[in-house]
């Protein structure tokens, strides 16, 4: 079996944001890599017209968009971003706009480039005067004085025009024939519940009849209706997103389909570069979209009131684009990072960016747990007779999942001699809505049992050393790691990452705390209404029971699970004399393991392996 080394991180090519030209003959996509010397991510635009070639020079080029005989893209600089245009026949690119605060999203419509960018109301001094919530956000920092607005610039270049001047908090937009639809929240007490608006003379006119949690939407080719993935949170945050239609003239949403699957992407991977579409109209009556389905991310089609899969397989489709019979898509597998594919009459891979990796797939298993539900999981086993030490990996979310998407981390651990066990307990995505909602207001109960019973199954059926089993997880997986070591001593050592230790403090310090915890922990009750329940679901309450050596990994600028969660747990363990170490990463946020500085990503993995090996005996 091939050994995966930390240095292989810098060999892996990351691919994202696939686009197709209007006539379906050309494909553009982004290829990125981690650069060790610069400790950064570098990227270029590639073009495929029968063969692939680097089309821009970089070093930080993203967001390719076809515009007739040109490609428009974004080049990120040290302080500003540039929107640039290059002819499809090649040559030098030309800057058409400079954007101080960055381009968040970009679309071409007619003779204009439309994009989102934040507008910041600067303070006169270094004091923060905050009157709104949420006031900071993971990966963005303090946002209390910033608003997202819509801009445009002519394709030929010229003045950047600010089109919107709205008070609502814009999250996304679409444009068709000059008509702009945007999603935005207007109540700071419900920032994840949005309406759809049409932009008229700089202001928004609401067209949706009801607030919803909207993940994605698109205007139809004829400009008459809008398709949207959304949920109303009637049952809670973990409610499945469904496909709805809304007339451009406004009114109530009409359900199109979606009570069987989890719309959108939710498989875990640490080798994504992002960008691209998860839904697209292909004519006035049909829509393609990605959903998560039992550890896979297939492409579905909606047509005349029905939905079914058109692109399946044991893989994760990351994004796609369609034009004139050409479907281009990016997909990854459990044992291989993403590549670009096209499907016309037949499917064909057009890149092989990481051919040096030849890795085994995990062995799939299912467990019928104690309440009769089926839980799915996978196992990576080292070569050799065994018994092998093992690591139980727990995903975040909780409504995400493991499956047929590449995790460099898993294969590095495997190469270090550990079996890797990864499962989708109750609360995960890709299964029934009831499966996801089961843990609402009941963290640490059925989800904990699912994990322990899945682990029992693996220990009974595979050559694993029962005395050398370790556990790790991040975010919700970090919460669960903390919970586990407070409720059992079966693990040799543990590593908790970007975790939650105290649901009471998380409520008031996380960028999503008041809303996430009211739903997932309080089951609709705020902190002051469900104080005892919040504390009962806090791992800190059970810290007195912890004897397992625990490594605590946290980022100093994590605003999703703030660093105070790590501090509290560390103090509790030190005061009881438990073997523990806290490793803090400066200038990193909640996404350290996926998009942190390359050197920090390297150190993080080494710290976990070293901790487990130190506690092997």
């Amino acid at each position: 079996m091939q050994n995966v080394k930390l240095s292989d991180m810098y060999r892996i090519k990351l691919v994202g944001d696939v686009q197709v030209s209007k006539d379906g003959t050309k494909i553009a996509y982004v290829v990125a890599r981690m650069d060790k010397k610069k400790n950064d991510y570098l990227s270029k635009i590639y073009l495929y017209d029968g063969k692939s070639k680097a089309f821009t020079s970089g070093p930080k080029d993203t967001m390719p968009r076809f515009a007739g005989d040109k490609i428009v893209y974004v080049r990120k600089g040290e302080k500003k971003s540039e929107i640039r245009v290059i002819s499809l026949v090649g040559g030098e690119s030309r800057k058409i706009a400079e954007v101080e605060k960055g381009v968040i999203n970009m679309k071409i419509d007619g003779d204009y480039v439309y994009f989102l960018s934040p507008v910041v109301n600067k303070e006169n001094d270094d004091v923060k005067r905050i009157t709104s919530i949420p006031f900071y956000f993971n990966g963005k920092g303090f946002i209390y004085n910033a608003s997202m607005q819509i801009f445009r610039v002519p394709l030929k270049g010229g003045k950047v025009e600010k089109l919107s001047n709205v008070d609502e908090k814009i999250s996304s937009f679409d444009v068709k024939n000059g008509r702009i639809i945007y999603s935005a929240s207007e109540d700071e007490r419900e920032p994840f519940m949005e309406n759809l608006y049409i932009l008229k003379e700089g202001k928004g006119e609401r067209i949706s009849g009801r607030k919803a949690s909207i993940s994605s939407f698109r205007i139809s080719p004829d400009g008459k209706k809008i398709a949207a993935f959304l949920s109303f949170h009637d049952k809670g945050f973990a409610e499945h997103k469904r496909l709805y239609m809304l007339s451009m003239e406004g009114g109530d949403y009409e359900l199109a389909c979606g009570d069987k699957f989890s719309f959108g992407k939710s498989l875990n991977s640490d080798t994504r570069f992002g960008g691209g579409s998860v839904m697209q109209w292909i004519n006035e009556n049909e829509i393609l979209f990605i959903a998560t389905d039992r550890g896979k991310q297939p492409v579905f089609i909606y047509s005349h009131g029905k939905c079914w899969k058109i692109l399946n397989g044991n893989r994760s489709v990351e994004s796609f684009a369609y034009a004139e019979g050409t479907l281009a898509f990016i997909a990854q597998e459990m044992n291989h990072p993403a590549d670009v594919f096209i499907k016309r009459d037949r499917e064909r891979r057009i890149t092989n960016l990481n051919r040096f990796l030849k890795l085994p797939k995990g062995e799939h298993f299912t467990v019928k747990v104690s309440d009769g539900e089926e839980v799915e999981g996978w196992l990576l086993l080292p070569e050799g007779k065994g018994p092998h030490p093992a690591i139980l990996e727990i995903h975040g979310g909780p409504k995400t999942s493991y499956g047929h998407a590449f995790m460099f981390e898993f294969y590095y651990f495997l190469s270090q001699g550990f079996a890797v066990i990864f499962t989708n307990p109750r609360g995960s995505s890709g299964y029934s809505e009831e499966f996801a909602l089961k843990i609402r207001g009941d963290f640490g109960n059925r989800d904990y049992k699912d994990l322990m019973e899945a682990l029992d199954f693996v220990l009974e059926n595979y050559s694993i050393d029962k005395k050398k089993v370790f556990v790790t997880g991040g975010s919700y997986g970090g919460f669960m790691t903390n919970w586990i070591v407070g409720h059992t001593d079966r693990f040799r050592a543990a590593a908790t990452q970007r975790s939650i230790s105290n649901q009471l403090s998380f409520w008031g310090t996380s960028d999503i705390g008041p809303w996430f915890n009211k739903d997932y922990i309080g089951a609709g009750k705020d902190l002051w209404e469900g104080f005892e329940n919040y504390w009962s679901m806090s791992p800190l309450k059970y810290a007195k029971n912890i004897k397992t050596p625990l490594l605590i990994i946290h980022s100093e600028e994590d605003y999703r699970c703030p660093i105070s969660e790590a501090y509290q747990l560390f103090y509790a363990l030190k005061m009881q004399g438990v073997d523990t170490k806290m490793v803090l990463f400066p200038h990193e946020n909640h996404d350290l393991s996926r998009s942190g500085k390359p050197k920090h990503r390297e150190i993080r993995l080494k710290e976990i392996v070293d901790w487990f090996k130190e506690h092997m005996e």
Side-chain angles (χ1 to χ4, degrees), residues 369-371 426 438 442 444-450 453:
V369 293
S370 53
D371 69 348
R426 234 68 62 92
K438 180 69 175 177
D442 201 20
N445 184 12
R446 192 61 254 180
D447 44 359
Y448 170 70
K449 291 176 183 175
D450 285 355
E453 291 170 25

Side-chain angles (χ1 to χ4, degrees), residues 373-417:
E373 183 62 80
E374 185 178 84
V375 170
E376 192 171 27
W378 294 265
L379 171 67
L380 288 167
L381 269 174
E383 289 181 333
K385 188 177 177 182
H388 305 285
I391 299 171
L392 175 64
E393 283 268 9
I394 307 171
H395 66 65
K399 200 184 177 187
T400 68
S401 54
Y402 284 138
H404 296 277
F406 185 71
M407 289 288 297
F408 179 88
E409 176 176 318
F410 292 1
Y411 285 94
Y412 175 63
F413 290 164
L414 180 66
S415 295
Q416 292 294 312

Side-chain angles (χ1 to χ4, degrees), residues 390-571:
I391 299 171
L392 175 64
E393 283 268 9
I394 307 171
H395 66 65
K399 200 184 177 187
T400 68
S401 54
Y402 284 138
H404 296 277
F406 185 71
M407 289 288 297
F408 179 88
E409 176 176 318
F410 292 1
Y411 285 94
Y412 175 63
F413 290 164
L414 180 66
S415 295
Q416 292 294 312
F418 295 92
V420 183
I421 306 159
F422 47 111
T423 70
N424 292 330
R426 234 68 62 92
S428 302
S429 64
Y431 306 90
S432 71
E433 191 171 71
E434 292 70 29
F435 191 96
L437 287 165
K438 180 69 175 177
I439 66 172
R440 184 176 188 250
D442 201 20
F443 271 34
N445 184 12
R446 192 61 254 180
D447 44 359
Y448 170 70
K449 291 176 183 175
D450 285 355
L451 287 161
M452 295 302 99
E453 291 170 25
L455 177 60
D456 290 340
F457 173 86
V458 172
L459 295 181
E460 289 166 12
N461 290 279
Y462 296 91
S463 185
I464 304 294
D465 189 334
K466 295 179 176 141
K467 294 182 179 179
K468 295 179 180 178
V469 181
F470 304 84
V471 62
T472 188
S475 197
Y476 162 80
F479 154 82
M480 183 52 69
T481 299
N482 298 340
W483 184 269
I484 285 170
V485 296
H487 288 78
T488 179
D489 300 330
R490 70 185 299 180
F491 292 93
R492 194 82 182 183
T496 184
Q497 306 172 62
R498 58 188 188 279
S499 76
I500 301 168
S501 62
N502 184 347
Q503 301 291 2
L504 299 170
S505 57
F506 180 85
W507 183 94
T509 56
S510 168
D511 58 357
I512 63 170
W515 307 281
F516 183 93
N517 267 18
K518 180 179 180 179
D519 185 86
Y520 263 117
I521 304 303
K525 292 182 179 179
D526 268 311
L527 177 69
W528 45 87
E529 300 169 311
F531 193 92
E532 289 304 321
N533 287 341
Y534 279 62
W535 181 236
S536 292
M537 282 178 256
S538 297
L540 200 62
K541 179 179 179 180
Y542 311 96
K544 65 181 182 299
N545 302 328
I546 298 175
K547 298 180 180 64
T548 307
L550 184 61
L551 174 67
I552 301 171
I553 291 177
H554 223 99
S555 296
E556 291 185 355
E557 294 177 14
D558 188 339
Y559 297 147
R560 183 62 37 85
C561 296
I563 198 167
S564 55
E565 297 299 306
Y567 293 164
Q568 293 174 80
L569 185 59
F570 184 67
Y571 265 115

